Each structure stands twice: as C-alpha cells, then as structure tokens.
Amino acid sequence: MKISPHCLVSLFTIILLSGFASSLHISLDAFVSVSHPATSRALLRAKKPCKEDFASKDYTILTSRCKGPKYQAKACCSAFKDFACPYAEIISDETTLCAAEMFCYIQLYGRYPLGIFANMCKEGKEGLDCTNVKATSASSRA
C-alpha cells in the first residue's frame, strides 16, 4: 500500500505520536504529542507498516458532522469517536504507523486544523472512551 504524497507532509508530524492507552480508549497523550512533537520518543523506534488501509476508508462519518469554521466540540468529538473507535485496537499499537496514517487521512480529507481533536476531545485520564462507541460503529463498518 502506498501513502498519498499529500499525506507525507502531515505524516512526519503525526508519526511523532507517542502511543495509545488501550484498545477501548484513545489516549490523550497521543494527541498531545502531535502538538509537542519534540517531546516524543517515537522517532527512536522503527515503526511497522499498518495492515489497515486507511486510504480507502469512508471519512464522511467525520467530515459530514465536524465542519468549520466554527467547529463544535460535541459534534466533532462524537464524529471522531464514531470513526476512530472501531480501529482503537490497531491505532493503539504504537509499534505501527496505523495512528499516523489514520490522522494523516483525516487531515487530508477533512482539512482540519492540526490538533483540533486533541484540543476539543478530552474524556478523563485514559483518553477517549470507546466502550459504547466500538460496539455500534464497528458493526456498521465494512
């Protein structure tokens, strides 16, 4: 699988994600490292390619509900969770490029400001809770 050239610029920044908490949560630490890439140690570790093809995913669940210029936190965070939570397990694997690729394509297709989800979407110490979202969204995705 080849990554779109448009993603390469964003991919460098997003590769600096430090990782995710668990398969049922999307860690806030990962979002923070996008905003503060110099503090990440992810560059010191080689990452494996992602087996999930994020280039071919349907991003309309996110782009149709999270719209600017005045991004509404409730709508955007709900849409982000609906999109990302079915993939929480694979994007939580910090040994792969899955999270970086997913964020790259979200940025590409949604043209969102960098850090928008990190700044708006916060739910406790473990990050975004995917417990209830995962069951409903995963069953509706192919």
Side-chain angles (χ1 to χ4, degrees):
M1 171 179 59
K2 189 172 183 177
I3 296 176
S4 167
H6 294 98
C7 286
L8 292 178
V9 173
S10 297
L11 187 58
F12 176 74
T13 301
I14 297 168
I15 285 175
L16 301 176
L17 293 170
S18 64
F20 294 92
S22 73
S23 63
L24 295 179
H25 287 83
I26 299 175
S27 171
L28 291 178
D29 291 338
F31 292 125
V32 171
S33 64
V34 172
S35 301
H36 305 288
T39 61
S40 176
R41 296 179 185 210
L43 283 178
L44 301 176
R45 296 172 283 193
K47 298 206 178 227
K48 299 178 284 189
C50 185
K51 294 181 181 179
E52 189 71 43
D53 183 11
F54 282 105
S56 67
K57 299 297 178 203
D58 183 2
Y59 290 85
T60 57
I61 192 169
L62 186 58
T63 59
S64 66
R65 293 166 43 197
C66 183
K67 297 181 179 187
K70 294 183 178 180
Y71 298 99
Q72 300 296 316
K74 185 175 181 178
C76 289
C77 295
S78 174
F80 177 76
K81 285 174 62 172
D82 286 346
F83 178 81
C85 283
Y87 309 110
E89 187 173 337
I90 61 168
I91 62 177
S92 295
D93 183 355
E94 62 185 87
T95 65
T96 71
L97 292 170
C98 291
E101 287 182 22
M102 182 192 75
F103 280 109
C104 179
Y105 285 106
I106 287 173
Q107 176 68 25
L108 177 67
Y109 295 124
R111 302 192 190 282
Y112 296 110
L114 288 177
I116 184 172
F117 300 107
N119 293 321
M120 287 197 306
C121 307
K122 298 176 181 171
E123 293 178 341
K125 293 180 181 180
E126 291 186 47
L128 300 180
D129 184 1
C130 291
T131 307
N132 295 327
V133 178
K134 188 172 181 132
T136 58
S137 295
S139 62
S140 64
R141 286 177 131 46

